[in-house]
Amino acid sequence: MTALSFLSASTLSVPTRLDPIQLFLDADIVVKLVMAGLLLASVWCWTIIVSFSMRISSVKRRSGHFEEEFWDSESPEQLLVGKRKRDNPSARVASAGLNELRKSTSEKSSPLDREGIRQRVALAMEGQVAIEADRLADRLNFLATTGAVAPFVGLFGTVWGIMNSFFQIGSQQNSSLAIVAPGISEALFATAIGLFAAIPAVIAYNRFSHRVNGFEARLQRFADRVHAQISRELEAA
């Protein structure tokens, strides 16, 4: 083989762009585990993002329809039975208040403690509003955890990969970039995957937390209106 043909073959064997799959396959076993864990976390985060977006839109739509029917109905109690009550946060909030009203007014006490009943009804609905908000935000903690932890997990993979590259320098007694560059590239790729998992998780968590807080405030306003209606009925009784 002539010198010219050898140089041509060497030039062809040098990669011209980054290959993420090859970086993963060539990485140390520890770095591979870090990358795989971060990729799984990223997939699960996107699953939560898509499912939560669909869920909160559906919940807000169903709650809005129920509240409209609740205020237009001459007998709101009829709306609080069956499957609709179980699947609707607004229905469960109204049901909590009306159930407490029913229990309090069924007690044989004379005269009727109207102020005590108002307080118990308000507490029952406020507690149900908090339960609904917690239930809706249940899986968002994983987004927060991933956003906070993923960069450090990726950094751990990077540190381990760089340590391995320095070990190769010592074992081969060669500090050439051709020896250490591949290992450093694989190590830095772990940090890139960590950021790839963390950035969408943080953005989604902040956005979804705002939407949950907004929905909780909406439920609280509905509960306040129900409480005001119950107070008027108690005063008229």
Side-chain angles (χ1 to χ4, degrees):
M1 178 182 291
T2 64
L4 183 60
S5 61
F6 176 78
L7 289 174
S8 298
S10 300
T11 303
L12 291 174
S13 64
V14 175
T16 58
R17 61 182 178 84
L18 287 175
D19 186 350
I21 297 178
Q22 194 61 44
L23 286 174
F24 174 81
L25 295 176
D26 293 341
D28 181 79
I29 183 62
V30 174
V31 182
K32 280 183 180 178
L33 291 175
V34 169
M35 292 180 183
L38 291 172
L39 287 173
L40 289 175
S42 179
V43 170
W44 184 240
C45 283
W46 280 106
T47 302
I48 294 175
I49 290 170
V50 174
S51 63
F52 184 86
S53 298
M54 298 173 61
R55 181 185 178 192
I56 194 169
S57 297
S58 175
V59 166
K60 290 177 68 174
R61 183 174 59 254
R62 285 187 282 111
S63 294
H65 290 163
F66 173 83
E67 291 173 19
E68 291 177 2
E69 294 180 9
F70 183 85
W71 296 118
D72 292 338
S73 176
E74 296 181 357
S75 179
E77 290 80 2
Q78 297 294 328
L79 301 175
L80 301 176
V81 295
K83 188 174 183 296
R84 293 190 63 185
K85 171 187 171 183
R86 295 193 299 270
D87 292 345
N88 199 305
S90 294
R92 289 191 288 266
V93 170
S95 179
L98 293 177
N99 285 341
E100 182 58 41
L101 174 65
R102 191 178 304 111
K103 292 176 183 178
S104 297
T105 54
S106 64
E107 297 175 356
K108 295 181 180 180
S109 59
S110 182
L112 196 65
D113 184 8
R114 291 179 173 80
E115 186 59 32
I117 293 174
R118 290 192 188 97
Q119 292 179 4
R120 288 193 292 271
V121 169
L123 288 174
M125 288 192 291
E126 288 175 4
Q128 189 63 41
V129 168
I131 290 173
E132 297 300 330
D134 290 342
R135 182 180 297 167
L136 189 60
D138 182 42
R139 292 197 296 173
L140 296 187
N141 287 335
F142 186 82
L143 295 179
T145 302
T146 300
V149 174
F152 295 101
V153 175
L155 183 60
F156 167 75
T158 296
V159 171
W160 184 274
I162 292 176
M163 288 171 56
N164 188 55
S165 296
F166 279 116
F167 177 79
Q168 296 297 327
I169 292 174
S171 63
Q172 300 184 25
Q173 297 182 354
N174 188 344
S175 60
S176 171
L177 281 177
I179 299 297
V180 299
I184 294 176
S185 298
E186 296 153 10
L188 292 174
F189 188 50
T191 296
I193 295 179
L195 295 175
F196 176 78
I199 292 173
V202 171
I203 294 173
Y205 176 77
N206 291 333
R207 177 59 180 164
F208 290 159
S209 295
H210 175 72
R211 295 186 69 180
V212 169
N213 292 337
F215 184 69
E216 183 179 8
R218 173 180 170 175
L219 284 180
Q220 188 59 57
R221 288 193 297 269
F222 174 68
D224 291 341
R225 290 186 64 189
V226 174
H227 183 261
Q229 179 65 30
I230 290 175
S231 296
R232 284 192 294 268
E233 293 178 359
L234 285 173
E235 290 175 359

